[in-house]
Amino acid sequence: MPKIKTSRVKYPEGWELIEPTLHELEAKMREAENDPHDGKRKCESLWPIFKIAHQKSRYIYDLYYRRKEISKELYEFCLDQGYADHNLIAKWKKPGYERLCCLQCMQTRDHNFTTTCVCRVPKHLREERVIECVHCGCKGCASGD
Ligand SMILES: [Zn+2]
Ligand SMILES: [Zn+2]
């Protein structure tokens, strides 16, 4: 039986094409949130949640800006409904931030070196080869890595 949609929300054309993927990601998100965090560091238990949030925004961003497969109306609908983070997408449009993992990592506070997060440092400038940033588990999101 099809799900009954609330009459308040008007779904733009094309919604049915992206709905399954978005719902799949939301289900994963719930799973990650309910995951018992046994034995994991607290910050680590948040990594999957950041990762999925990133995936959702990236999916919608790609569909609209790169693949041009969804209308502006549908794109804006997704932002309005919280399926994508418009602050993060706004950053992806800037040079050097095309692959930014999350907004926390570009803030200059909260970091050991008072610069941005280690995951924002390009690979060839990093001392450690393998990194995992404490905020979201990012393994490097500088452009060109
Ligand atoms: Zn990062
Ligand atoms: Zn980071």
mmCIF file of all heavy atoms in Angstrom, residues 73-115:
data_model
loop_
_atom_site.group_PDB
_atom_site.id
_atom_site.type_symbol
_atom_site.label_atom_id
_atom_site.label_comp_id
_atom_site.label_asym_id
_atom_site.label_seq_id
_atom_site.Cartn_x
_atom_site.Cartn_y
_atom_site.Cartn_z
ATOM 1 N N GLU A 73 13.135 23.797 -8.727
ATOM 2 C CA GLU A 73 12.047 23.686 -7.753
ATOM 3 C C GLU A 73 12.271 22.497 -6.814
ATOM 4 O O GLU A 73 12.150 22.619 -5.592
ATOM 5 C CB GLU A 73 10.723 23.515 -8.508
ATOM 6 C CG GLU A 73 9.514 23.668 -7.617
ATOM 7 C CD GLU A 73 8.235 23.177 -8.287
ATOM 8 O OE1 GLU A 73 8.288 22.743 -9.442
ATOM 9 O OE2 GLU A 73 7.197 23.220 -7.609
ATOM 10 N N LEU A 74 12.637 21.372 -7.406
ATOM 11 C CA LEU A 74 12.849 20.170 -6.600
ATOM 12 C C LEU A 74 14.095 20.335 -5.713
ATOM 13 O O LEU A 74 14.102 19.936 -4.547
ATOM 14 C CB LEU A 74 12.994 18.944 -7.516
ATOM 15 C CG LEU A 74 13.156 17.589 -6.821
ATOM 16 C CD1 LEU A 74 12.054 17.339 -5.807
ATOM 17 C CD2 LEU A 74 13.190 16.458 -7.844
ATOM 18 N N TYR A 75 15.121 20.940 -6.289
ATOM 19 C CA TYR A 75 16.342 21.191 -5.525
ATOM 20 C C TYR A 75 16.035 22.044 -4.295
ATOM 21 O O TYR A 75 16.432 21.723 -3.168
ATOM 22 C CB TYR A 75 17.361 21.887 -6.439
ATOM 23 C CG TYR A 75 18.586 22.412 -5.726
ATOM 24 C CD1 TYR A 75 19.538 21.532 -5.222
ATOM 25 C CD2 TYR A 75 18.793 23.779 -5.572
ATOM 26 C CE1 TYR A 75 20.662 22.013 -4.567
ATOM 27 C CE2 TYR A 75 19.909 24.265 -4.925
ATOM 28 C CZ TYR A 75 20.846 23.378 -4.423
ATOM 29 O OH TYR A 75 21.940 23.863 -3.773
ATOM 30 N N GLU A 76 15.313 23.112 -4.493
ATOM 31 C CA GLU A 76 14.998 24.000 -3.371
ATOM 32 C C GLU A 76 14.057 23.348 -2.367
ATOM 33 O O GLU A 76 14.156 23.584 -1.167
ATOM 34 C CB GLU A 76 14.426 25.328 -3.894
ATOM 35 C CG GLU A 76 15.563 26.177 -4.412
ATOM 36 C CD GLU A 76 15.120 27.456 -5.091
ATOM 37 O OE1 GLU A 76 13.912 27.664 -5.261
ATOM 38 O OE2 GLU A 76 16.022 28.237 -5.447
ATOM 39 N N PHE A 77 13.195 22.499 -2.889
ATOM 40 C CA PHE A 77 12.313 21.740 -2.013
ATOM 41 C C PHE A 77 13.136 20.856 -1.059
ATOM 42 O O PHE A 77 12.880 20.806 0.143
ATOM 43 C CB PHE A 77 11.379 20.883 -2.882
ATOM 44 C CG PHE A 77 10.523 19.928 -2.109
ATOM 45 C CD1 PHE A 77 9.329 20.353 -1.553
ATOM 46 C CD2 PHE A 77 10.915 18.604 -1.938
ATOM 47 C CE1 PHE A 77 8.532 19.465 -0.836
ATOM 48 C CE2 PHE A 77 10.134 17.717 -1.219
ATOM 49 C CZ PHE A 77 8.938 18.144 -0.666
ATOM 50 N N CYS A 78 14.147 20.198 -1.611
ATOM 51 C CA CYS A 78 14.993 19.321 -0.798
ATOM 52 C C CYS A 78 15.720 20.108 0.290
ATOM 53 O O CYS A 78 15.869 19.640 1.413
ATOM 54 C CB CYS A 78 16.019 18.590 -1.672
ATOM 55 S SG CYS A 78 15.274 17.366 -2.741
ATOM 56 N N LEU A 79 16.176 21.293 -0.054
ATOM 57 C CA LEU A 79 16.836 22.137 0.947
ATOM 58 C C LEU A 79 15.837 22.550 2.025
ATOM 59 O O LEU A 79 16.115 22.451 3.219
ATOM 60 C CB LEU A 79 17.436 23.385 0.297
ATOM 61 C CG LEU A 79 18.570 23.193 -0.703
ATOM 62 C CD1 LEU A 79 19.140 24.557 -1.090
ATOM 63 C CD2 LEU A 79 19.686 22.327 -0.164
ATOM 64 N N ASP A 80 14.659 22.987 1.585
ATOM 65 C CA ASP A 80 13.628 23.423 2.529
ATOM 66 C C ASP A 80 13.230 22.314 3.489
ATOM 67 O O ASP A 80 12.958 22.555 4.661
ATOM 68 C CB ASP A 80 12.362 23.877 1.788
ATOM 69 C CG ASP A 80 12.556 25.239 1.142
ATOM 70 O OD1 ASP A 80 13.534 25.914 1.488
ATOM 71 O OD2 ASP A 80 11.726 25.607 0.296
ATOM 72 N N GLN A 81 13.168 21.105 2.950
ATOM 73 C CA GLN A 81 12.718 19.982 3.764
ATOM 74 C C GLN A 81 13.846 19.382 4.597
ATOM 75 O O GLN A 81 13.632 18.399 5.296
ATOM 76 C CB GLN A 81 12.119 18.888 2.861
ATOM 77 C CG GLN A 81 10.899 19.326 2.086
ATOM 78 C CD GLN A 81 9.689 19.551 2.982
ATOM 79 O OE1 GLN A 81 9.398 18.758 3.858
ATOM 80 N NE2 GLN A 81 9.001 20.665 2.790
ATOM 81 N N GLY A 82 15.023 19.929 4.445
ATOM 82 C CA GLY A 82 16.140 19.450 5.263
ATOM 83 C C GLY A 82 16.805 18.189 4.735
ATOM 84 O O GLY A 82 17.534 17.526 5.452
ATOM 85 N N TYR A 83 16.580 17.859 3.464
ATOM 86 C CA TYR A 83 17.249 16.681 2.904
ATOM 87 C C TYR A 83 18.709 16.989 2.564
ATOM 88 O O TYR A 83 19.518 16.101 2.390
ATOM 89 C CB TYR A 83 16.526 16.176 1.655
ATOM 90 C CG TYR A 83 15.218 15.509 1.980
ATOM 91 C CD1 TYR A 83 14.011 16.113 1.676
ATOM 92 C CD2 TYR A 83 15.202 14.270 2.621
ATOM 93 C CE1 TYR A 83 12.806 15.502 2.002
ATOM 94 C CE2 TYR A 83 14.005 13.660 2.945
ATOM 95 C CZ TYR A 83 12.813 14.278 2.637
ATOM 96 O OH TYR A 83 11.624 13.678 2.968
ATOM 97 N N ALA A 84 19.014 18.253 2.415
ATOM 98 C CA ALA A 84 20.391 18.637 2.147
ATOM 99 C C ALA A 84 20.702 19.885 2.957
ATOM 100 O O ALA A 84 19.802 20.655 3.289
ATOM 101 C CB ALA A 84 20.582 18.926 0.659
ATOM 102 N N ASP A 85 21.970 20.046 3.270
ATOM 103 C CA ASP A 85 22.393 21.173 4.094
ATOM 104 C C ASP A 85 22.862 22.310 3.185
ATOM 105 O O ASP A 85 23.899 22.215 2.549
ATOM 106 C CB ASP A 85 23.532 20.701 5.004
ATOM 107 C CG ASP A 85 24.033 21.808 5.915
ATOM 108 O OD1 ASP A 85 23.718 22.992 5.664
ATOM 109 O OD2 ASP A 85 24.745 21.481 6.866
ATOM 110 N N HIS A 86 22.092 23.368 3.113
ATOM 111 C CA HIS A 86 22.449 24.402 2.142
ATOM 112 C C HIS A 86 23.722 25.156 2.540
ATOM 113 O O HIS A 86 24.423 25.683 1.689
ATOM 114 C CB HIS A 86 21.279 25.350 1.865
ATOM 115 C CG HIS A 86 20.947 26.269 2.989
ATOM 116 N ND1 HIS A 86 21.351 27.573 2.999
ATOM 117 C CD2 HIS A 86 20.266 26.067 4.131
ATOM 118 C CE1 HIS A 86 20.908 28.130 4.121
ATOM 119 N NE2 HIS A 86 20.253 27.234 4.820
ATOM 120 N N ASN A 87 24.055 25.175 3.819
ATOM 121 C CA ASN A 87 25.311 25.816 4.226
ATOM 122 C C ASN A 87 26.511 25.048 3.682
ATOM 123 O O ASN A 87 27.496 25.640 3.240
ATOM 124 C CB ASN A 87 25.414 25.874 5.756
ATOM 125 C CG ASN A 87 24.407 26.830 6.347
ATOM 126 O OD1 ASN A 87 24.193 27.907 5.804
ATOM 127 N ND2 ASN A 87 23.777 26.431 7.427
ATOM 128 N N LEU A 88 26.407 23.736 3.740
ATOM 129 C CA LEU A 88 27.495 22.906 3.243
ATOM 130 C C LEU A 88 27.603 23.022 1.718
ATOM 131 O O LEU A 88 28.692 23.189 1.167
ATOM 132 C CB LEU A 88 27.243 21.454 3.664
ATOM 133 C CG LEU A 88 28.353 20.437 3.415
ATOM 134 C CD1 LEU A 88 29.658 20.856 4.086
ATOM 135 C CD2 LEU A 88 27.945 19.054 3.915
ATOM 136 N N ILE A 89 26.471 22.982 1.054
ATOM 137 C CA ILE A 89 26.472 23.096 -0.404
ATOM 138 C C ILE A 89 27.035 24.448 -0.847
ATOM 139 O O ILE A 89 27.787 24.531 -1.818
ATOM 140 C CB ILE A 89 25.043 22.870 -0.953
ATOM 141 C CG1 ILE A 89 24.691 21.377 -0.807
ATOM 142 C CG2 ILE A 89 24.936 23.319 -2.409
ATOM 143 C CD1 ILE A 89 23.309 20.997 -1.305
ATOM 144 N N ALA A 90 26.724 25.492 -0.088
ATOM 145 C CA ALA A 90 27.254 26.816 -0.431
ATOM 146 C C ALA A 90 28.783 26.803 -0.414
ATOM 147 O O ALA A 90 29.438 27.451 -1.237
ATOM 148 C CB ALA A 90 26.729 27.861 0.550
ATOM 149 N N LYS A 91 29.360 26.024 0.480
ATOM 150 C CA LYS A 91 30.820 25.916 0.557
ATOM 151 C C LYS A 91 31.386 25.160 -0.638
ATOM 152 O O LYS A 91 32.446 25.506 -1.157
ATOM 153 C CB LYS A 91 31.252 25.200 1.838
ATOM 154 C CG LYS A 91 30.904 25.925 3.103
ATOM 155 C CD LYS A 91 31.779 27.152 3.284
ATOM 156 C CE LYS A 91 31.434 27.922 4.535
ATOM 157 N NZ LYS A 91 30.300 28.844 4.361
ATOM 158 N N TRP A 92 30.687 24.126 -1.071
ATOM 159 C CA TRP A 92 31.192 23.315 -2.184
ATOM 160 C C TRP A 92 31.343 24.118 -3.460
ATOM 161 O O TRP A 92 32.071 23.747 -4.361
ATOM 162 C CB TRP A 92 30.247 22.128 -2.437
ATOM 163 C CG TRP A 92 30.309 21.096 -1.359
ATOM 164 C CD1 TRP A 92 31.312 20.940 -0.437
ATOM 165 C CD2 TRP A 92 29.357 20.077 -1.063
ATOM 166 N NE1 TRP A 92 31.021 19.889 0.405
ATOM 167 C CE2 TRP A 92 29.835 19.350 0.039
ATOM 168 C CE3 TRP A 92 28.136 19.718 -1.640
ATOM 169 C CZ2 TRP A 92 29.131 18.266 0.581
ATOM 170 C CZ3 TRP A 92 27.430 18.648 -1.105
ATOM 171 C CH2 TRP A 92 27.928 17.926 -0.002
ATOM 172 N N LYS A 93 30.649 25.227 -3.549
ATOM 173 C CA LYS A 93 30.740 26.044 -4.755
ATOM 174 C C LYS A 93 31.981 26.909 -4.743
ATOM 175 O O LYS A 93 32.316 27.551 -5.730
ATOM 176 C CB LYS A 93 29.491 26.921 -4.868
ATOM 177 C CG LYS A 93 28.216 26.117 -5.086
ATOM 178 C CD LYS A 93 27.054 27.067 -5.268
ATOM 179 C CE LYS A 93 25.785 26.507 -4.664
ATOM 180 N NZ LYS A 93 24.801 27.551 -4.415
ATOM 181 N N LYS A 94 32.669 26.964 -3.595
ATOM 182 C CA LYS A 94 33.858 27.812 -3.505
ATOM 183 C C LYS A 94 35.114 27.017 -3.816
ATOM 184 O O LYS A 94 35.229 25.868 -3.400
ATOM 185 C CB LYS A 94 33.985 28.376 -2.091
ATOM 186 C CG LYS A 94 32.879 29.312 -1.729
ATOM 187 C CD LYS A 94 33.187 29.930 -0.383
ATOM 188 C CE LYS A 94 32.044 30.838 0.019
ATOM 189 N NZ LYS A 94 32.230 31.372 1.357
ATOM 190 N N PRO A 95 36.064 27.648 -4.517
ATOM 191 C CA PRO A 95 37.306 26.937 -4.817
ATOM 192 C C PRO A 95 38.022 26.545 -3.527
ATOM 193 O O PRO A 95 38.109 27.331 -2.595
ATOM 194 C CB PRO A 95 38.136 27.949 -5.616
ATOM 195 C CG PRO A 95 37.367 29.208 -5.653
ATOM 196 C CD PRO A 95 36.023 29.005 -5.026
ATOM 197 N N GLY A 96 38.511 25.326 -3.497
ATOM 198 C CA GLY A 96 39.221 24.842 -2.319
ATOM 199 C C GLY A 96 38.310 24.102 -1.351
ATOM 200 O O GLY A 96 38.784 23.433 -0.448
ATOM 201 N N TYR A 97 37.013 24.228 -1.551
ATOM 202 C CA TYR A 97 36.074 23.583 -0.623
ATOM 203 C C TYR A 97 35.175 22.563 -1.321
ATOM 204 O O TYR A 97 34.184 22.139 -0.774
ATOM 205 C CB TYR A 97 35.206 24.638 0.064
ATOM 206 C CG TYR A 97 35.991 25.498 1.014
ATOM 207 C CD1 TYR A 97 36.514 26.716 0.601
ATOM 208 C CD2 TYR A 97 36.224 25.072 2.315
ATOM 209 C CE1 TYR A 97 37.249 27.501 1.467
ATOM 210 C CE2 TYR A 97 36.951 25.852 3.194
ATOM 211 C CZ TYR A 97 37.467 27.065 2.761
ATOM 212 O OH TYR A 97 38.193 27.829 3.624
ATOM 213 N N GLU A 98 35.557 22.204 -2.528
ATOM 214 C CA GLU A 98 34.689 21.341 -3.339
ATOM 215 C C GLU A 98 34.396 20.011 -2.663
ATOM 216 O O GLU A 98 33.403 19.369 -2.972
ATOM 217 C CB GLU A 98 35.328 21.055 -4.711
ATOM 218 C CG GLU A 98 35.498 22.271 -5.597
ATOM 219 C CD GLU A 98 36.864 22.924 -5.440
ATOM 220 O OE1 GLU A 98 37.524 22.695 -4.392
ATOM 221 O OE2 GLU A 98 37.269 23.666 -6.347
ATOM 222 N N ARG A 99 35.302 19.577 -1.809
ATOM 223 C CA ARG A 99 35.118 18.259 -1.198
ATOM 224 C C ARG A 99 34.946 18.354 0.313
ATOM 225 O O ARG A 99 35.068 17.356 1.016
ATOM 226 C CB ARG A 99 36.329 17.376 -1.523
ATOM 227 C CG ARG A 99 36.559 17.179 -3.022
ATOM 228 C CD ARG A 99 37.818 16.369 -3.298
ATOM 229 N NE ARG A 99 37.756 15.059 -2.658
ATOM 230 C CZ ARG A 99 38.653 14.598 -1.799
ATOM 231 N NH1 ARG A 99 39.700 15.314 -1.474
ATOM 232 N NH2 ARG A 99 38.526 13.416 -1.260
ATOM 233 N N LEU A 100 34.702 19.530 0.808
ATOM 234 C CA LEU A 100 34.574 19.717 2.254
ATOM 235 C C LEU A 100 33.632 18.684 2.871
ATOM 236 O O LEU A 100 32.533 18.462 2.389
ATOM 237 C CB LEU A 100 34.054 21.130 2.542
ATOM 238 C CG LEU A 100 33.900 21.490 4.018
ATOM 239 C CD1 LEU A 100 35.254 21.583 4.698
ATOM 240 C CD2 LEU A 100 33.140 22.793 4.172
ATOM 241 N N CYS A 101 34.094 18.061 3.972
ATOM 242 C CA CYS A 101 33.303 16.974 4.568
ATOM 243 C C CYS A 101 32.184 17.491 5.459
ATOM 244 O O CYS A 101 31.068 16.997 5.417
ATOM 245 C CB CYS A 101 34.212 16.062 5.363
ATOM 246 S SG CYS A 101 35.194 16.947 6.583
ATOM 247 N N CYS A 102 32.500 18.465 6.292
ATOM 248 C CA CYS A 102 31.459 19.007 7.160
ATOM 249 C C CYS A 102 31.873 20.407 7.596
ATOM 250 O O CYS A 102 33.038 20.766 7.532
ATOM 251 C CB CYS A 102 31.206 18.101 8.366
ATOM 252 S SG CYS A 102 32.532 18.092 9.567
ATOM 253 N N LEU A 103 30.905 21.168 8.052
ATOM 254 C CA LEU A 103 31.182 22.577 8.373
ATOM 255 C C LEU A 103 32.120 22.738 9.565
ATOM 256 O O LEU A 103 32.885 23.688 9.627
ATOM 257 C CB LEU A 103 29.867 23.315 8.633
ATOM 258 C CG LEU A 103 29.003 23.502 7.386
ATOM 259 C CD1 LEU A 103 27.612 23.962 7.757
ATOM 260 C CD2 LEU A 103 29.650 24.501 6.432
ATOM 261 N N GLN A 104 32.071 21.784 10.473
ATOM 262 C CA GLN A 104 32.946 21.871 11.648
ATOM 263 C C GLN A 104 34.418 21.939 11.278
ATOM 264 O O GLN A 104 35.197 22.598 11.929
ATOM 265 C CB GLN A 104 32.754 20.626 12.514
ATOM 266 C CG GLN A 104 31.659 20.749 13.535
ATOM 267 C CD GLN A 104 31.810 19.658 14.574
ATOM 268 O OE1 GLN A 104 32.623 19.757 15.472
ATOM 269 N NE2 GLN A 104 31.029 18.614 14.405
ATOM 270 N N CYS A 105 34.772 21.211 10.242
ATOM 271 C CA CYS A 105 36.185 21.057 9.893
ATOM 272 C C CYS A 105 36.799 22.318 9.297
ATOM 273 O O CYS A 105 38.006 22.412 9.170
ATOM 274 C CB CYS A 105 36.363 19.889 8.937
ATOM 275 S SG CYS A 105 36.194 18.314 9.799
ATOM 276 N N MET A 106 35.988 23.268 8.900
ATOM 277 C CA MET A 106 36.594 24.485 8.352
ATOM 278 C C MET A 106 36.597 25.617 9.366
ATOM 279 O O MET A 106 37.082 26.699 9.092
ATOM 280 C CB MET A 106 35.881 24.906 7.076
ATOM 281 C CG MET A 106 34.436 25.244 7.279
ATOM 282 S SD MET A 106 33.754 26.079 5.855
ATOM 283 C CE MET A 106 34.605 27.644 5.941
ATOM 284 N N GLN A 107 36.045 25.358 10.553
ATOM 285 C CA GLN A 107 36.074 26.400 11.570
ATOM 286 C C GLN A 107 37.431 26.453 12.240
ATOM 287 O O GLN A 107 38.042 25.422 12.473
ATOM 288 C CB GLN A 107 34.972 26.133 12.605
ATOM 289 C CG GLN A 107 33.653 26.679 12.131
ATOM 290 C CD GLN A 107 32.487 26.066 12.862
ATOM 291 O OE1 GLN A 107 32.654 25.462 13.908
ATOM 292 N NE2 GLN A 107 31.311 26.229 12.293
ATOM 293 N N THR A 108 37.863 27.650 12.544
ATOM 294 C CA THR A 108 39.220 27.773 13.081
ATOM 295 C C THR A 108 39.270 27.517 14.577
ATOM 296 O O THR A 108 40.317 27.246 15.116
ATOM 297 C CB THR A 108 39.818 29.163 12.780
ATOM 298 O OG1 THR A 108 38.849 30.132 13.098
ATOM 299 C CG2 THR A 108 40.195 29.279 11.323
ATOM 300 N N ARG A 109 38.142 27.599 15.243
ATOM 301 C CA ARG A 109 38.194 27.259 16.664
ATOM 302 C C ARG A 109 38.077 25.745 16.832
ATOM 303 O O ARG A 109 37.882 25.027 15.867
ATOM 304 C CB ARG A 109 37.087 27.983 17.424
ATOM 305 C CG ARG A 109 35.733 27.699 16.853
ATOM 306 C CD ARG A 109 34.671 28.513 17.566
ATOM 307 N NE ARG A 109 33.384 28.269 16.944
ATOM 308 C CZ ARG A 109 32.586 27.265 17.270
ATOM 309 N NH1 ARG A 109 32.914 26.426 18.212
ATOM 310 N NH2 ARG A 109 31.432 27.098 16.654
ATOM 311 N N ASP A 110 38.193 25.269 18.037
ATOM 312 C CA ASP A 110 38.064 23.839 18.342
ATOM 313 C C ASP A 110 39.149 22.973 17.726
ATOM 314 O O ASP A 110 39.003 21.773 17.663
ATOM 315 C CB ASP A 110 36.739 23.223 17.839
ATOM 316 C CG ASP A 110 35.530 23.946 18.343
ATOM 317 O OD1 ASP A 110 35.656 24.592 19.403
ATOM 318 O OD2 ASP A 110 34.484 23.867 17.700
ATOM 319 N N HIS A 111 40.183 23.548 17.217
ATOM 320 C CA HIS A 111 41.203 22.692 16.643
ATOM 321 C C HIS A 111 42.518 22.885 17.375
ATOM 322 O O HIS A 111 42.828 23.970 17.844
ATOM 323 C CB HIS A 111 41.391 22.964 15.153
ATOM 324 C CG HIS A 111 40.204 22.549 14.355
ATOM 325 N ND1 HIS A 111 39.836 21.240 14.203
ATOM 326 C CD2 HIS A 111 39.280 23.282 13.695
ATOM 327 C CE1 HIS A 111 38.742 21.188 13.482
ATOM 328 N NE2 HIS A 111 38.382 22.402 13.157
ATOM 329 N N ASN A 112 43.264 21.803 17.446
ATOM 330 C CA ASN A 112 44.508 21.819 18.205
ATOM 331 C C ASN A 112 45.476 22.884 17.732
ATOM 332 O O ASN A 112 46.236 23.422 18.501
ATOM 333 C CB ASN A 112 45.206 20.463 18.088
ATOM 334 C CG ASN A 112 44.381 19.370 18.738
ATOM 335 O OD1 ASN A 112 43.524 19.656 19.570
ATOM 336 N ND2 ASN A 112 44.627 18.135 18.358
ATOM 337 N N PHE A 113 45.470 23.158 16.475
ATOM 338 C CA PHE A 113 46.483 24.058 15.943
ATOM 339 C C PHE A 113 45.917 25.426 15.601
ATOM 340 O O PHE A 113 46.555 26.217 14.926
ATOM 341 C CB PHE A 113 47.147 23.425 14.717
ATOM 342 C CG PHE A 113 47.613 22.030 14.983
ATOM 343 C CD1 PHE A 113 46.911 20.946 14.509
ATOM 344 C CD2 PHE A 113 48.748 21.814 15.761
ATOM 345 C CE1 PHE A 113 47.324 19.653 14.793
ATOM 346 C CE2 PHE A 113 49.171 20.523 16.041
ATOM 347 C CZ PHE A 113 48.458 19.433 15.565
ATOM 348 N N THR A 114 44.717 25.674 16.089
ATOM 349 C CA THR A 114 44.001 26.919 15.830
ATOM 350 C C THR A 114 43.900 27.272 14.346
ATOM 351 O O THR A 114 43.563 28.369 13.978
ATOM 352 C CB THR A 114 44.591 28.128 16.593
ATOM 353 O OG1 THR A 114 45.907 28.380 16.119
ATOM 354 C CG2 THR A 114 44.591 27.892 18.085
ATOM 355 N N THR A 115 44.227 26.320 13.517
ATOM 356 C CA THR A 115 43.958 26.507 12.094
ATOM 357 C C THR A 115 42.743 25.651 11.798
ATOM 358 O O THR A 115 42.043 25.254 12.705
ATOM 359 C CB THR A 115 45.138 26.027 11.242
ATOM 360 O OG1 THR A 115 45.335 24.653 11.513
ATOM 361 C CG2 THR A 115 46.378 26.817 11.536
#
